[in-house]
Amino acid sequence: MTFNSMNLDEFHDVWVFAEQRQGELMPAVLELISEGRKLADELHCELHAVLPGHDVDSLAVTLGGYGADKVLIYDHELLKNYRTETYTEVIAQAVETYKPEILLFVASNIGRDLAPRCAARLHTGLCADCTHLDVDLGGYIDFLRKESSVDVDNTSFESKMFDVERNLKMTRPAFGGHLMATIVCPRFRPAMATVRPGVMKLREYSAEKAAAVQVEKPAFRLDESDVQTDIIEIVKSTRKQVDLIGADVIVSVGQGIARDVEKGLALAAELADELGGVLGATRAVIDNGWLSADHQVGQTGKTVRPKIYIALGISGAIQHKSGMQDSECIIAVNKAENAPIFEIADYGIVGDLFDVAPKLIEEFRKAKQ
Amino acid sequence: MKIIVTVKQVPDTTGKVSVKPDGTLDRASMETVTNPDDLNAVEAALQLKDQYGAKVITVTMGPMQAESMLRELYAMGVDECVLVSGREFGGSDTYATSQIIAAAIDTIGLDEDDIILAGRQAIDGDTAQVGPQIAEKLHLPQVSYAAEITKEDDGLLIKRMLEDGYMMIKVKTPCLITCVKELNEPRYMSVQGIEDCFDKEIRILSYEDLKDHPLIDKTTIGLQGSPTNIYKSFTPPQKSAGRMLKGNAQETAAELAKCLAEKHLI
């Protein structure tokens, strides 16, 4: 049967692209498997992981344990390392053969390279960098009630164009977080999305689900003629990257440390250690070379939602706020009483971070005893 | 060698952003700028031109107001600016946009040693999708997240950034590369360039000019041809003002520790 992305009725099941690098799953894949499980249950269909790679069979169990019913393994030497062209070829063949209704990717540098290429080839819609997904309309309305300024009781959710109860509703920030948009893909399948790492809740691992996972190795066509790029080398960063997205506590520094950068960073690091957290920073700190880029929080850095976010000497430019304003509890320490950061802080302390941070370390230590 | 750079004029989301009561962006009240990552792509093109000689052509899609941006690009040293503009193109999502820009690039023409450069992503939508989708529509190899570009005899050597390191990738031309800000520091407009830029002609490609291209079809461009649609748009809830803690460093720190302990946050 020929593939036509407009024949909506032929498409079923939820798929997650199981991104692996050097044989290891990207951690956010399991977040997507967890979220995909929820969507598949709402649609009363199966959840499949599609796993291209070489010698990656052992990953299937983990994917099953987090909720995948089936893992489709596309094993080939040419798929050992990621290449846009070979992975696009295989994903496109897989979709054309099995016709999934929904296809999710981690919004990593690889997912965001691969997904648009696949969507363009398959002639379907793709929503970038989503932070929330819904099939169930009631669940979506509840989400808006909590997370938006929409007056949901006086808003119509009907559509003449498509079935609002069944279509995937993909929500993402736009314009630096000033606006949220919910996107739909009503006329084509699969509905595709890349999803920000760190936003979807991980399910509990189930040994029973892991044991029950089905593995399939579909036939596919791939040869040297599909390769258009040479990978000369793959270099892993030797320095451990800071895990801002996975952190429960982030202590961030801004221009306020300029007076004594070394001491400011040391205080922030000690405070972070005290709370079991990690060190974040504003763009200015990165641009000045005081910390490496992986510490950057903000529109051009990472979007974070820790339980506790402590902003030391940060004025609160939009570029920074948009990356951290959804943190559960924001604490701001700044000398300037009128700093915009105080507008979004749960607790504000007007004072010099060099005086306040040592006291915070001391008091937090006491409080924990 | 031609280097075609895709650029976009965007509202400056790093400045004042205002949202209308209906949840849409009040674009009229906002400053517009050339998308920052696109300037890195332009700079990369100009550096290759300086070193090897090349014709640098920028392609942008948007309303006629984009002209102000194009004058600035001329003043930086770009050789030709192409503006793809037409009501039929309005409302396009990334899929439809890439169809149109791919058709425009194909109309300009691509030779064996040509390169297409794009910014990693635009600050209004942050999708990073149009570059790869143009490459797909033109059947070209792509390398995204380029932090270094080196020209070699039969192609380019690219340092492609990953979250946990990087890859060195060789790719033959013609190809499409998306550029990150670490790639370079965009140059300023030159004095001579500013003087000359108003005499330069902007090449307009309208719907009439592109309508016979195989990629252009009413069902694949504009709002009608976009696979994705906006279902709802809204603003995040306003955070209520928090509490300012009063006292000296010791007192405020003690008060904060007490509050966090009560909420079981520490």
Side-chain angles (χ1 to χ4, degrees):
Chain A
M1 202 155 44
T2 53
F3 177 82
N4 181 341
S5 59
M6 293 184 85
N7 293 345
L8 305 193
D9 291 344
E10 293 176 4
F11 291 78
H12 47 85
D13 297 329
V14 176
W15 277 22
V16 171
F17 167 65
E19 180 186 338
Q20 52 82 26
R21 297 184 188 178
Q22 286 79 53
E24 273 182 55
L25 282 176
M26 291 296 279
V29 167
L30 301 175
E31 299 167 12
L32 280 200
I33 291 286
S34 304
E35 178 69 11
R37 183 70 260 163
K38 182 196 88 176
L39 300 174
D41 289 343
E42 288 175 10
L43 286 165
H44 307 290
C45 68
E46 291 197 356
L47 172 66
H48 298 172
V50 54
L51 173 61
H54 189 45
D55 291 334
V56 288
D57 295 11
S58 61
L59 303 177
V61 175
T62 311
L63 294 164
Y66 284 93
D69 297 306
K70 189 193 278 184
V71 179
L72 300 166
I73 300 181
Y74 290 81
D75 190 307
H76 198 292
E77 246 186 333
L78 292 173
L79 297 171
K80 184 172 191 298
N81 291 309
Y82 175 74
R83 279 191 181 92
T84 310
E85 61 274 20
T86 50
Y87 273 56
T88 303
E89 183 58 42
V90 166
I91 296 289
Q93 284 183 39
V95 169
E96 285 169 3
T97 307
Y98 293 101
K99 304 189 175 91
E101 183 168 357
I102 290 173
L103 174 54
L104 307 177
F105 298 74
V106 174
S108 64
N109 288 16
I110 284 178
R112 298 185 75 177
D113 182 84
L114 174 63
R117 189 95 198 196
C118 292
R121 186 166 304 179
L122 296 163
H123 193 166
T124 190
L126 169 64
C127 183
D129 220 13
C130 298
T131 52
H132 194 85
L133 298 173
D134 294 278
V135 166
D136 178 55
L137 185 62
Y140 175 68
I141 293 172
D142 283 346
F143 157 70
L144 287 185
R145 203 185 294 277
K146 278 195 225 104
E147 302 284 330
S148 81
S149 44
V150 176
D151 177 8
V152 291
D153 298 318
N154 292 305
T155 303
S156 165
F157 291 92
E158 298 300 309
S159 171
K160 287 198 184 82
M161 270 174 62
F162 66 97
D163 178 1
V164 290
E165 300 278 355
R166 182 142 188 122
N167 269 266
L168 181 64
K169 292 162 276 292
M170 304 173 270
T171 302
R172 68 184 304 269
F175 298 102
H178 291 278
L179 207 59
M180 301 293 290
T182 302
I183 308 291
V184 287
C185 176
R187 295 175 293 125
F188 300 94
R189 293 289 179 271
M192 290 176 54
T194 61
V195 180
R196 248 197 179 208
V199 299
M200 298 300 174
K201 261 213 175 76
L202 205 59
R203 285 161 61 91
E204 228 168 275
Y205 182 84
S206 154
E208 205 178 313
K209 276 290 286 175
V213 69
Q214 302 170 56
V215 174
E216 206 174 300
K217 294 192 172 181
F220 65 105
R221 189 202 55 74
L222 189 71
D223 58 50
E224 288 286 346
S225 68
D226 295 305
V227 177
Q228 297 172 312
T229 53
D230 283 339
I231 301 171
I232 307 298
E233 65 175 328
I234 299 173
V235 180
K236 284 260 179 192
S237 172
T238 47
R239 197 179 50 78
K240 201 178 161 346
Q241 306 272 305
V242 60
D243 181 16
L244 284 174
I245 285 171
D248 279 340
V249 177
I250 296 174
V251 179
S252 281
V253 291
Q255 291 270 36
I257 62 165
R259 202 181 80 207
D260 186 344
V261 172
E262 206 173 311
K263 190 174 168 206
L265 288 175
L267 280 172
E270 194 183 345
L271 183 55
D273 272 349
E274 188 57 39
L275 298 170
V278 299
L279 203 53
T282 62
R283 184 168 67 184
V285 168
I286 308 302
D287 288 349
N288 285 327
W290 298 339
L291 276 174
S292 56
D294 51 320
H295 291 274
Q296 189 183 335
V297 173
Q299 188 194 339
T300 48
K302 297 206 172 66
T303 298
V304 297
R305 302 169 167 190
K307 290 202 173 72
I308 301 178
Y309 190 93
I310 304 183
L312 299 177
I314 292 174
S315 64
I318 281 163
Q319 134 76 25
H320 186 73
K321 284 200 292 192
S322 69
M324 46 66 77
Q325 60 198 357
D326 292 335
S327 304
E328 211 168 294
C329 179
I330 296 170
I331 297 152
V333 179
N334 200 296
K335 278 201 288 198
E337 207 173 328
N338 56 357
I341 191 78
F342 288 128
E343 292 163 16
I344 61 159
D346 297 277
Y347 299 101
I349 296 175
V350 179
D352 188 336
L353 74 96
F354 290 96
D355 300 330
V356 178
K359 301 297 177 195
L360 288 176
I361 295 165
E362 188 185 316
E363 291 297 333
F364 287 161
R365 199 166 287 159
K366 266 198 249 166
K368 285 200 303 191
Q369 282 160 2
Chain B
M1 172 169 65
K2 282 200 303 299
I3 306 172
I4 296 177
V5 189
T6 60
V7 290
K8 186 179 186 187
Q9 191 176 43
V10 292
D12 182 7
T13 57
T14 62
K16 183 176 154 286
V17 173
S18 53
V19 177
K20 289 190 269 191
D22 65 356
T24 60
L25 201 71
D26 185 6
R27 280 176 188 266
S29 74
M30 294 173 67
E31 298 279 323
T32 57
V33 293
T34 307
N35 181 53
D37 288 349
D38 299 353
L39 288 174
N40 296 106
V42 170
E43 176 61 29
L46 293 173
Q47 285 181 14
L48 286 167
K49 174 187 169 182
D50 293 344
Q51 229 178 324
Y52 302 99
K55 183 176 184 190
V56 175
I57 304 172
T58 61
V59 176
T60 191
M61 185 169 100
M64 297 307 274
Q65 289 91 300
E67 185 189 333
S68 57
M69 168 184 76
L70 302 180
R71 298 282 169 215
E72 290 177 12
L73 296 174
Y74 270 131
M76 282 175 77
V78 167
D79 298 300
E80 186 181 353
C81 291
V82 177
L83 174 59
V84 182
S85 199
R87 273 221 326 262
E88 295 83 352
F89 303 143
S92 292
D93 71 354
T94 66
Y95 183 98
T97 301
S98 68
Q99 293 269 136
I100 299 161
I101 296 180
I105 290 173
D106 200 33
T107 302
I108 295 164
L110 274 183
D111 296 316
E112 273 306 297
D113 57 349
D114 289 349
I115 303 166
I116 304 172
L117 299 178
R120 174 191 58 148
Q121 63 191 48
I123 59 170
D124 52 352
D126 287 323
T127 73
Q129 287 174 185
V130 173
Q133 296 195 313
I134 292 171
E136 172 63 23
K137 293 298 169 191
L138 294 172
H139 307 290
L140 296 177
Q142 81 194 37
V143 181
S144 53
Y145 298 89
E148 282 174 24
I149 300 175
T150 314
K151 189 170 156 45
E152 299 194 325
D153 287 345
D154 55 346
L156 301 172
L157 179 65
I158 309 288
K159 180 181 184 183
R160 181 208 200 280
M161 299 312 291
L162 294 170
E163 291 84 347
D164 53 354
Y166 62 89
M167 285 165 126
M168 297 304 294
I169 298 178
K170 262 180 96 160
V171 59
K172 285 201 172 67
T173 56
C175 57
L176 184 143
I177 311 295
T178 78
C179 305
V180 298
K181 71 169 193 287
E182 290 77 14
L183 181 61
N184 53 43
E185 199 62 55
R187 67 190 63 186
Y188 291 106
M189 297 178 273
S190 72
V191 175
Q192 187 64 50
I194 294 171
E195 227 166 81
D196 296 344
C197 71
F198 292 97
D199 301 329
K200 299 270 170 74
E201 205 171 313
I202 289 169
R203 180 175 173 193
I204 310 281
L205 288 178
S206 67
Y207 176 71
E208 280 300 311
D209 297 316
L210 296 177
K211 71 177 192 316
D212 295 327
H213 191 280
L215 285 170
I216 301 296
D217 181 313
K218 278 273 164 61
T219 65
T220 58
I221 62 160
L223 192 60
Q224 291 292 321
S226 295
T228 60
N229 302 114
I230 296 173
Y231 176 49
K232 297 280 173 215
S233 72
F234 55 92
T235 49
Q238 290 298 314
K239 248 194 107 129
S240 52
R243 223 184 108 195
M244 297 303 285
L245 302 173
K246 298 270 185 308
N248 62 28
Q250 186 79 59
E251 291 158 0
T252 52
E255 179 65 16
L256 179 63
K258 194 173 135 239
C259 293
L260 297 185
E262 276 169 10
K263 292 188 165 179
H264 306 290
L265 281 165
I266 56 171

